[in-house]
Structures are given as C-alpha cells and as structure tokens.
C-alpha cells in the first residue's frame, strides 16, 4: 500500500472514530535440562518517527510479528490520543547473515475494529500490546481495564473475541492486574495461541520484589477459543538495587515449537531511568498443568527456563522499552534472526522506536 493511500485509510478511520466517539511459599523453577540456545547481537535501527506524522502517528510500537516474506506487522498501544487502533506493515530487508540490506520501509497497515466492525472509541479502555499472524488473519491482545484477545482479518475487520477463563477476568481480589496482564501473544505449530500474563493474577501471589519473581500464567487457547492448557511461568526478581517504584514482568512470548518459547522479561526503574531486558528460553515440558485452577497454591512446578540473551548487558546500547519479539529469516549455520522492538511512548524524536536484530543459535 502506498504511503499516501495508507494515510487516507488511517485518516478515514480517524474521522469515523471522531464522528462516533478503553506472600506465600513458592515452588522453585523446575531445573530440567534445557537445550543450548544462545543469541548474538547484530544491529539496532531507529524506525522513522515521521512515517505517518498525522492524523495517526507512527509510534508506541508494542508488538511485532513477521509474515515470512520479509514484512512485519507492528501494533501501537495508542489509546486514541494520536489516532485510531491501528497497526502498520513494515518491510525489514535482511540478508543470510542477518545484516540489513536496505532501510525499513512502511508498506501498509490497517485499523483494528470492534464487534460489528464498529470503530473503538478513544478512552474506551483498550490498549493493544501484542500482534501475531494467524493464517490470513491477525490475533491482537489488549491490556486495558477490560482485557481481551481478538482475531481480525486485514485490514482489521472483526472476526471474533476469545473468552478468557473466569480466573483471569478482573474482579475485586482476583483476575488480571490492571495493565499487568495481556502483554504477550504467541502462535505455535498447529495454531495454538498462547499468552503469558505480565504479572501474576491477583489471587496467585504478589508482584515481583527484590527477593522473588512473580508467578505468571501461560494460557493456551485453541483456534475455536477453547482452553488447551495453563502452566506457571516464574519471572526473575527485580534487578539488584531497584527502587520501590521499579516493576518487572513478561512483555512478550514467541513460539519456538509446540512446547518451547522465548520469553521477554522487561523491567524498568523510573527512579534510575534504567531498563532490565532479558530473553529466556522456556518450555511446558516438565511443568505442572494448572488448567482451570481458580488460584495457585505456590507449590506448582513452574516451567523451566534459562537465559538466552541480556540486552541490558550491551554497555553502548540503551535498548529502550523493549516490548515485542518476532522471528526473522533463517540464517546461515543453523541460526535464525530474532527481531525485538521498543516502544517510544510517542516521545519522538527524542526517544525512537528501536528495532534490534539478533542471531539465535539452536543446537544441532
């Protein structure tokens, strides 16, 4: 889609929106043997902030997913201040070594609509945090006061919303925590849809501290919306020396195969303006199923995990507020490109949306 045409689509959608105006015992992480998965940093590119300056600005990028042909859908977490509930399609040309062979380009996009294809009103409680391709459709997750997972067809036409299990529905004393819930999405082989809650459900235990992590849940849904399984994923504690204002949680999950995932744990300390960005390998193999549990006991065996890459370890790189992961092309020597995108909070141009590229090495 040409830039002028994309502006027209987003401008029209904006006009429609405007006219129609969202401490108990903890079982240790299972120490089962893990495959040797490692990663190497390759490059960082700043995405242009003025691709779509108005009426629907490019920015606030919180999720990314590839279509297998060199294009990537990215979604903004804008709640209506800068335009409608939109996503963009971006071309990122990489060679067999994972190096850039051209600048990223804006190639399309669309507007995520609500049930009956009614535009979502600014301030109505939505906040999109993740996006994945699902066949010819897209799956998106909103982490607002009334969280939901939605399937749409390009360019954003509503297909269905997935019902969340009762334990996840926000209520007094239980359910997803406000803005600490549906931050992530993964689609595995066979079409299984997964999300890991950013922090524990309210009834499952506390948020992360300097001493301990939080017991997030991995929820897996079939394409028809039925629950396939639930498991416990235990995050790391807050970074050493973090202030009382710091937070940490799961920002993204990316499927490796039917049982294994890469998980992005993102921490931030506003008192120090510092990020703690780590990518872990994890698996459901060896973990206890907690499907249908109203509340965790703390004795469940969590999913085993090991560190794949620490983006915060690069002394000359400020990774930014990294929120999304996507697979890129397969590379030489049994490697695969891994893309990570940061959210600039619409603080352009001082804070760019960054696109980090790494090479992940699998065993064998």
């Amino acid at each position: 889609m040409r830039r002028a045409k994309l502006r027209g689509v987003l401008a029209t959608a904006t006009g429609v929106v405007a006219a129609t105006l969202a401490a108990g015992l903890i079982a240790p992480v299972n120490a089962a043997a893990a495959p040797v998965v490692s990663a190497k940093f390759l490059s960082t590119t700043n995405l242009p902030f003025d691709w779509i300056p108005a009426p629907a600005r490019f920015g606030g990028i919180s999720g990314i997913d590839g279509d297998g042909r060199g294009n990537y859908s990215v979604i903004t977490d804008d709640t209506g201040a800068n335009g409608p509930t939109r996503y963009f399609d971006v071309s990122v040309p990489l060679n067999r070594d994972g190096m850039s062979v051209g600048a990223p380009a804006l190639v399309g996009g669309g507007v995520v609509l609500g049930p009956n294809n009614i535009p979502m009103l600014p301030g109505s409680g939505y906040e999109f945090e993740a996006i994945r391709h699902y066949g010819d459709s897209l799956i998106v997750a909103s982490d607002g006061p009334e969280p939901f997972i939605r399937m749409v067809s390009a360019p954003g036409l509503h297909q269905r919303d997935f019902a969340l299990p009762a334990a996840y529905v926000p209520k007094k004393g239980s359910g997803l925590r406000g803005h600490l819930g549906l931050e992530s999405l993964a689609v595995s082989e066979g079409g299984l849809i997964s999300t890991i809650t950013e922090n524990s459900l309210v009834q499952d235990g506390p948020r992360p501290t300097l001493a301990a992590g939080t017991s997030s849940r991995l929820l897996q849904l079939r394409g028809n919306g039925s629950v396939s399984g639930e498991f416990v994923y235990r995050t790391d504690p807050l970074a050493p020396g973090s202030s009382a204002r710091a937070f940490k949680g799961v920002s993204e999950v990316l499927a490796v195969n039917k049982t294994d995932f890469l998980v992005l744990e993102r921490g931030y300390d506003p008192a120090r303006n510092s990020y703690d960005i780590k990518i872990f390998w994890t698996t459901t193999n060896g973990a206890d199923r907690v499907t249908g549990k109203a509340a965790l006991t703390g004795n469940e065996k969590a999913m085993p995990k090991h560190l794949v890459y620490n983006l915060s370890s690069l002394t000359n790189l400020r990774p930014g507020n990294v929120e999304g992961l996507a697979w890129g092309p397969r590379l030489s020597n049994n490697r695969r490109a891994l893309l990570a995108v940061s959210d600039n909070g619409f603080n352009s141009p001082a804070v760019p949306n960054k696109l980090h590229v790494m090479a992940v090495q699998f065993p064998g």
Side-chain angles (χ1 to χ4, degrees):
M1 186 183 294
R2 294 185 181 276
R3 188 180 305 180
K5 185 177 180 181
L6 178 59
R7 284 199 185 99
V9 170
L10 294 173
T12 299
T14 304
V16 172
V17 171
T20 59
L21 295 181
L25 293 174
I26 299 295
V29 171
N30 179 17
V36 180
V37 181
S38 60
K40 178 182 178 181
F41 177 81
L42 297 178
S43 66
T44 289
T45 299
N46 292 344
L47 298 177
F49 68 90
D50 57 354
W51 265 339
I52 302 290
R57 294 172 57 194
F58 184 89
I61 302 305
S62 58
I64 182 172
D65 196 42
D67 65 0
R69 299 184 296 275
N71 294 331
Y72 299 83
S73 295
V74 299
I75 196 161
T76 174
D77 61 5
D78 184 12
T79 57
N82 301 281
T85 51
R86 60 204 179 278
Y87 69 91
F88 303 92
D89 292 324
V90 178
S91 172
V92 182
L94 301 173
N95 64 18
R96 285 277 293 166
D97 293 321
M99 305 306 294
S100 174
V101 290
L106 191 65
V107 296
V111 174
V112 178
L113 299 175
N116 300 313
N117 292 320
I118 296 175
M120 302 185 68
L121 305 182
S124 60
Y126 61 81
E127 186 172 347
F128 288 102
E129 297 286 357
I131 186 169
R132 293 290 175 207
H133 287 87
Y134 193 87
D136 294 330
S137 300
L138 292 168
I139 305 285
V140 295
S142 174
D143 192 32
E146 298 180 5
F148 59 85
I149 298 173
R150 175 169 297 167
M151 180 183 290
V152 298
S153 62
L157 299 177
H158 183 271
Q159 291 182 308
R160 64 170 301 163
D161 284 359
F162 293 86
L164 295 175
Y168 291 74
V169 178
K171 300 175 184 175
K172 185 178 181 180
S174 66
L176 293 164
R177 299 175 188 270
H179 300 287
L180 290 171
L182 300 183
E183 281 268 345
S184 64
L185 280 176
V187 175
S188 305
E189 300 169 14
L192 203 60
I193 302 163
S194 300
T195 184
I196 299 181
T197 59
E198 186 173 8
N199 275 194
S200 66
L201 302 181
V202 175
Q203 69 271 25
D204 285 346
R207 296 169 56 181
T209 65
L210 287 168
T214 190
S215 294
S216 298
R217 289 203 200 192
L218 169 69
L219 171 65
Q220 297 187 301
L221 302 171
R222 302 181 183 90
N224 63 6
S226 62
V227 175
S228 173
E230 293 179 69
F231 301 87
V232 178
Y233 176 86
R234 186 78 182 163
T235 73
D236 278 7
L238 296 174
S242 293
S243 73
R245 297 166 58 196
F247 67 87
K248 170 177 273 191
V250 174
S251 183
E252 186 64 287
V253 59
L254 180 64
V256 175
N257 53 41
K258 290 183 177 180
T259 58
D260 298 4
F261 302 88
L262 294 185
V263 174
L264 176 66
E265 293 190 21
R266 179 271 314 269
Y268 179 63
D269 186 350
R272 301 191 300 176
N273 191 27
S274 61
Y275 285 97
D276 179 20
I277 310 293
K278 294 185 176 71
I279 299 171
F280 293 87
W281 166 91
T282 190
T283 183
T284 57
N285 290 329
D288 288 344
R289 283 185 172 270
V290 296
T291 311
K293 276 195 172 185
L296 302 180
T297 65
N299 296 316
E300 296 86 358
K301 186 182 294 183
M303 299 165 64
K305 60 185 251 191
H306 82 258
L307 182 65
V308 173
Y309 200 78
N310 179 4
L311 265 169
S312 304
S313 67
L314 297 175
T315 56
N316 294 324
L317 174 72
R318 287 186 62 82
N321 184 24
V322 181
E323 294 201 358
L325 293 178
W327 289 120
R330 297 191 181 278
L331 307 177
S332 57
N333 301 320
N334 196 32
R335 300 176 302 157
R336 190 162 186 186
L338 176 67
L339 280 65
V341 69
S342 70
D343 178 355
N344 73 337
F346 289 98
N347 292 313
S348 304
V351 180
N353 292 285
K354 297 182 179 182
L355 185 66
H356 308 292
V357 182
M358 290 155 279
V360 176
Q361 180 75 60
F362 292 97

